Amino acid sequence: NVTLLTQMTSLLQVVSVSPSTYAASGSVSIVVNEEATTNKLLLVMPGETYAPGSSTGKTGPPNTLAAGTTATLTVYAVDKQWNKVRNDSSTQVRIVTIDPNDVHPPDNVVTGGTVTFSAASGPWYPRTASTITVTAMPTNLNVPGSTSPVVTVNPGNPGPDARLQILAAGETGAPGTLSGKTGTPGPWTAGVSTGVRVNLTDDWWNLRTGDAATVGLATSDPYAAAPANQPLVSGTTVFN
């Protein structure tokens, strides 16, 4: 028996292997349809290519992403061989990730077996420079969801939103959050030197280690001597 795996119009032909002198047969055109019901979901990340009928349903590694930049996610409702189930226009899909600070798009419904999450339909973008996974899960159908390979998220590109961050004693950096830090500065003692960290970050407070800058620390204390300006090393420095 012959098993075809990919939804397509497939051609079958017989060729002579041994001896190889016999003329090949004519081709027979076979229409191969997908299964009638959705068996699972398939998430395709930027950089990956949908490959129905293959062992995993897609090829290629996912692209590296930038914090704060919208990424387009495509989700397919598929059969056991990863073929798109074209008559599925009802499965509702939710996007979740392990980035606690990312912006989630609203749930969306597949149409003709496909749904795309993009800037137009409601954006998804990570906000924390880290490594993450992304999962597409059905909310109204009891079938397996689909989780991406590990994706690297780099700090956002330098631009007008790049900024300096000051962390006093008692504060801790919290990249990806709205404020960029947690904690409250503790009281200082007059005349006692206390360290202050300065970071160069993207617009979501992720440390940019590759940018050069020299920074100075100003104070409203009229009698305090300002420390000397310091260069950033790997995006950070400490004034002691």
Side-chain angles (χ1 to χ4, degrees), residues 163-165 197-201 207-209 211-216 229-239:
R163 61 181 98 184
L164 293 173
Q165 178 188 52
R197 179 171 293 277
V198 175
N199 295 325
L200 178 62
T201 74
L207 183 66
R208 292 196 55 85
T209 60
D211 296 325
T214 298
V215 296
N229 295 342
Q230 295 184 185
L232 298 178
V233 178
S234 297
T236 188
T237 191
V238 175
F239 289 93

Side-chain angles (χ1 to χ4, degrees), residues 102-124:
D102 70 339
V103 172
H104 284 183
D107 295 353
N108 210 339
V109 178
V110 302
T111 300
T114 307
V115 62
T116 299
F117 295 88
S118 65
S121 63
W124 170 77

Side-chain angles (χ1 to χ4, degrees), residues 7 34-42 50 75-80 82-93 108-116 137-145:
Q7 183 274 313
E34 73 274 22
E35 297 178 55
T37 58
T38 295
N39 180 262
K40 53 195 170 185
L41 297 183
L42 176 67
Y50 179 43
V75 181
Y76 297 90
V78 295
D79 64 12
K80 295 184 184 69
W82 308 104
N83 297 295
K84 179 173 66 174
V85 179
R86 293 168 291 175
N87 67 4
D88 187 342
S89 291
S90 61
T91 299
Q92 184 167 281
V93 180
N108 210 339
V109 178
V110 302
T111 300
T114 307
V115 62
T116 299
M137 55 185 296
T139 62
N140 63 345
L141 186 65
N142 187 23
V143 298

